[in-house]
Each structure stands twice: as structure tokens, then as C-alpha cells.
Amino acid sequence: MAFSSRNVVTHPARVFSLIWLGQLVSSLGTGLTQFSVGVFVYQNSDSVTEYSLASFFGFLPMVLLAPVAGSMVDRRNRQRVMLLADLGAMTAIGLMWCLVAADRAGLWALQNWHFYPPLALSAAFSTFRILAFSTTTPLLVSKQNLGRANGMVELAMSAGQLLGPALAGVLVVSIGLQGVLLIDLATFLFALATLLSVRIPQPEAGQREARKSLWTDIALGWRFIRERPGLLGLLAFSSAVNLVSVLVTVLITPLVLSFTDPATLGLVVSCSGVGMVAGGITMGVWGGPKRRIFGVLGAELVAGLALLAAALPASVFVVACAAFVFMFTAPVAMGCSQAIWQSKVPPAIQGRVFSTRRMLALIAPPIAALLAGPLTDKLFDPWMAQDGALASTFGQVLGTGPGRGIALLYVALGIMLAGCVLLTWSSPRVRGVEDELPDALLPTPVPAAQPQA
């Protein structure tokens, strides 16, 4: 695949902007699909377990394929990887469209579990696209602007959560799930068009290593992290945060539906999306604190406090505000963390290191998604029933009945998150990771117009 046309954009800043725009539009379509499919599954089953399984199959491929994806990103043209990943994700969305169309035509009795394989397929291709994009950003943006660039990336990713739920509530009624999936397919076409209009630079020839076996590549990523305790500690903290975040996002739907309707749920989830957009804009303008580790830990401490607020007696306003604050912290924490990794890992091996980092950070979320249903249905909800074991204690503060078990779980998660922040802060290697490790980036990005083979 050649990118030599005179109409192809090569200026680094413009290349980043166009790719970012494509991902922004694609994120909107993905947000529509995720919300619509999630509500469809939950309302057809009234089971948190079946609903959480959809999240489980969305996370599992990210863990299993991360090492392979990292090696491929470093070995192959990153632009080609992103193009093929978008085509693969389109295939998964097209498969879901066919399933819904066949059900409406009476040719297929659609079940909730039928969505699980295409969701897993879409997540698998997303793993390649996300890694290719994250390892390309340092080649297009200078070190001092990485915080801002990562804030913009988080803003693009959060756009689906901002507009997706609110629009999905209207679109599902007017055009149905089948129509929503068609819109998602159209957004992927736009993302592909932006990728075809640019030329993405590759790492310099002098930075590339000789081709080695896949397993050697995978081992390299783990060895790089293991030999740097500061990065290893930061990775452990990210894994804990991801576990909490998945439980929170999986359970927000049944929590809100326990005391209101899907339309109001869409507004609450949109508030969380507004929070992510506001956080992304803040990072895009501010760039984060000079000491980025302060941004990571401080943001997550605020997120823990937001979870405690969300557990208060059922109120749409309180939950919406807590969701806004919780999601506002995500772009700040992720943008600062990503900037640390991008500045400390050489560009030529970022695919392998980032894939290992991604695999280890995402081990907990599939387990969390798998356990969210049983924890709620079998333990926390019975405990917080009107005659439950904890009704006379925690129930006096949080209330009893439907959804109050999830509220108690939110309290436990908020305390856990605050504890992880304090534990990580107590490690001098993590606190000093930015000073202890040398920078691996050039002061300015490699010119895209003159890539070195």
C-alpha cells in the first residue's frame, strides 16, 4: 500500500489532527452501538450477569491479543495496521447488523449471547488500532505537547459517551438497533477516509532492531518494564484502577434503571460523557501538571470520592453529578500516565512495551466484568434488600431495595481506589519515575515528509 499521492497530508500536526478527527467520528458511532446493544441485552434479560458478560467479551480479546498486536505494530507499517483494524471492526458491526436484520425478517431468533462473538471480534481489532495510534502519537507530537495530545485523544474516545447515549435513546425508537448499526458503519468509513488521506511516519531506521521471533518480542516488552520499578509500580496502579473503572461502568446501567427509565439513563450516561469531554478539553488546553505523576494520583483520588457520592440514596441529580466528576478525572489520569510512558519508552519498541503494558493492565477488567453480575445478584443486592443482612446498618445510610447493593459496592470501590492512591504514593520509585528514568524522545517529532526506511 503506497501513500505517495501529492494530495496526501504529510505535515505532522495536520496528520495528527486528521487521524484524531476520524477517531472522534468513529467514537460517536461506537458509543451509539455500545449503549443500544447494552440496553437491548439488559432489558431482554433483566439480568446483571448477562449484561456484564457483554463487557467481559469486549475486554477478553484485548488481554489475549495485546502481545501479538504490539509485535505486529513494531514490525509493520502502523498506518496499514490501523486501516486493517478499522476494516475488521466494520466487519464485526456488519455481522451484528445481519443478526438483527435476520431476526426482524423472522429468519433468526436473536438471543443475547449472539452479540458476544461480534463484540469480541470488534474488541480484537480495536486492540491493534489503539496500539498503533498510541505509538504513532509521539512521532507526530513533541514531548512537551504529549499531555495536550493525549488529552485530545481521550476527548475523541469520550465523544461516544457524551452524545452516544442521548442520541441512542432517540434513534433506537425512531430507526431501531438496525439503523444505529448502519450509522456506526458509516462512521468507520469516515475514519478510513481520514487514514487514507495522510502519511504516517515510521520510527527511524537506526532505531529499529533486527527482526526476532514473536515470543522474543513479547519477552522484550515485559523485560523492559520489569527492569524499571517505577514503570512497574505505575502499571500495577493502572491495573487496580481499571478493575474499579470496569465495575463502575458495567454497573451504572442497572444502578440507574433500578429507580428510573432508559431515557433518564441516557441522560446520566451522557453526563458522564460530558465529564470526559470536559476532562479531555482541560488536558488539551492545560497539558497536565509539570509532575505528571501528580496528575495521575490526584485525579484518581478525586474519582474515589465521586464513587462515595454516587452511593448516596437514589437520586438522578446526585448520580449524574458523581458520574460527571468520575469521568472528568479519566482523561487527566490517562493523559498524564500515557505521557510518562511515551516519553520514557523508545519509539521503535513502543508497540511491544505498550502491548505488554496493555495486557497486564487489562487482566483485571475481564475478571471484574465476569464477576460484576454474580457479586451484585448473589451478594450485595441480597445484603441490601429490605430484610437483608446489612439493611439495619448500611441500609440506614444508603437505603434498601433494588440497586442499593450496587451502591454499597460503589462505596467499597471508592475506598479501594483511595487506598491504592495512598499505597502508590508511598513508593518512592513511582513518585520519582519521571526523574529516575531518562527521556527516550527527540525534542521534536520526526518530519513525516521525509520518513526513513
Side-chain angles (χ1 to χ4, degrees), residues 180-230:
V180 169
L181 293 171
L182 280 178
I183 293 177
D184 196 6
L185 287 171
T187 63
F188 271 111
L189 289 175
F190 182 84
L192 285 169
T194 60
L195 282 171
L196 290 171
S197 68
V198 301
R199 180 187 297 142
I200 296 178
Q202 305 300 308
E204 292 185 76
Q207 295 178 329
R208 296 180 180 174
E209 300 177 354
R211 292 284 177 85
K212 300 176 181 178
S213 70
L214 174 61
W215 295 111
T216 301
D217 280 348
I218 294 173
L220 182 147
W222 166 241
R223 186 171 64 251
F224 183 94
I225 297 172
R226 184 190 61 193
E227 293 173 352
R228 292 158 178 81

Side-chain angles (χ1 to χ4, degrees), residues 38-111:
V39 171
F40 179 90
V41 170
Y42 184 71
Q43 290 191 320
N44 279 0
S45 64
D46 198 28
S47 168
V48 178
T49 299
E50 286 197 32
Y51 173 75
S52 62
L53 279 173
S55 296
F56 170 75
F57 284 102
F59 279 110
L60 186 62
M62 297 182 183
V63 177
L64 299 179
L65 292 178
V68 177
S71 179
M72 180 173 292
V73 165
D74 280 343
R75 288 166 176 257
R76 307 294 181 187
N77 182 289
R78 292 172 182 178
Q79 185 163 5
R80 186 176 292 114
V81 171
M82 293 182 69
L83 284 166
L84 293 176
D86 277 344
L87 286 171
M90 282 185 64
T91 302
I93 300 300
L95 178 58
M96 283 193 280
W97 183 88
C98 291
L99 290 173
V100 176
D103 178 68
R104 292 189 63 182
L107 303 175
W108 180 271
L110 187 62
Q111 303 293 324

Side-chain angles (χ1 to χ4, degrees), residues 60-421:
L60 186 62
M62 297 182 183
V63 177
L64 299 179
L65 292 178
V68 177
S71 179
M72 180 173 292
V73 165
D74 280 343
R75 288 166 176 257
R76 307 294 181 187
N77 182 289
R78 292 172 182 178
Q79 185 163 5
R80 186 176 292 114
V81 171
M82 293 182 69
L83 284 166
L84 293 176
D86 277 344
L87 286 171
M90 282 185 64
T91 302
I93 300 300
L95 178 58
M96 283 193 280
W97 183 88
C98 291
L99 290 173
V100 176
D103 178 68
R104 292 189 63 182
L107 303 175
W108 180 271
L110 187 62
Q111 303 293 324
N112 285 340
W113 68 267
H114 293 155
F115 287 102
Y116 300 159
L119 285 172
L121 183 63
S122 177
F125 284 108
S126 294
T127 300
F128 289 87
R129 183 180 68 251
I130 292 171
L131 276 172
F133 191 19
S134 65
T135 57
T136 296
T137 301
L139 300 175
L140 299 170
V141 179
S142 61
K143 176 194 169 185
Q144 59 268 30
N145 288 320
L146 278 177
R148 294 184 177 89
N150 289 323
M152 291 184 64
V153 172
E154 294 302 328
L155 173 61
M157 297 301 103
S158 64
Q161 292 189 2
L162 168 63
L163 297 177
L167 291 175
V170 176
L171 292 175
V172 168
V173 174
S174 58
I175 63 177
L177 180 57
Q178 192 175 358
V180 169
L181 293 171
L182 280 178
I183 293 177
D184 196 6
L185 287 171
T187 63
F188 271 111
L189 289 175
F190 182 84
L192 285 169
T194 60
L195 282 171
L196 290 171
S197 68
V198 301
R199 180 187 297 142
I200 296 178
Q202 305 300 308
E204 292 185 76
Q207 295 178 329
R208 296 180 180 174
E209 300 177 354
R211 292 284 177 85
K212 300 176 181 178
S213 70
L214 174 61
W215 295 111
T216 301
D217 280 348
I218 294 173
L220 182 147
W222 166 241
R223 186 171 64 251
F224 183 94
I225 297 172
R226 184 190 61 193
E227 293 173 352
R228 292 158 178 81
L231 291 180
L232 185 61
L234 184 59
L235 176 59
F237 176 74
S238 297
S239 297
V241 169
N242 286 339
L243 185 148
V244 171
S245 297
V246 170
L247 284 171
V248 170
T249 54
V250 166
L251 295 176
I252 188 67
T253 292
L255 173 66
V256 176
L257 288 180
S258 69
F259 63 88
T260 188
D261 53 36
T264 305
L265 169 64
L267 293 176
V268 171
V269 177
S270 291
C271 283
S272 71
V274 172
M276 282 200 75
V277 169
I281 292 174
T282 300
M283 279 297 292
V285 174
W286 173 38
K290 185 176 181 181
R291 299 276 297 182
R292 290 182 172 127
I293 191 65
F294 292 170
V296 176
L297 299 180
E300 296 301 348
L301 183 59
V302 173
L305 296 176
L307 288 180
L308 298 182
L312 294 174
S315 165
V316 172
F317 177 77
V318 172
V319 173
C321 290
F324 174 91
V325 174
F326 183 83
M327 299 308 292
F328 177 91
T329 64
V332 177
M334 289 187 286
C336 291
S337 177
Q338 184 77 336
I340 292 173
W341 285 90
Q342 288 171 335
S343 62
K344 301 302 177 182
V345 181
I349 63 170
Q350 281 188 4
R352 284 162 284 182
V353 175
F354 284 13
S355 65
T356 303
R357 164 200 172 199
R358 185 174 177 79
M359 178 186 69
L360 296 176
L362 290 178
I363 285 177
I367 299 173
L370 196 61
L371 293 179
L375 278 175
T376 303
D377 294 336
K378 305 298 183 182
L379 293 178
F380 283 85
D381 272 352
W383 285 345
M384 296 296 285
Q386 291 184 354
D387 57 350
L390 301 179
S392 60
T393 53
F394 290 100
Q396 297 298 314
V397 179
L398 305 179
T400 59
R404 294 298 87 198
I406 297 176
L408 178 60
L409 183 54
Y410 270 25
V411 171
L413 293 174
I415 295 173
M416 174 182 168
L417 195 53
C420 288
V421 169

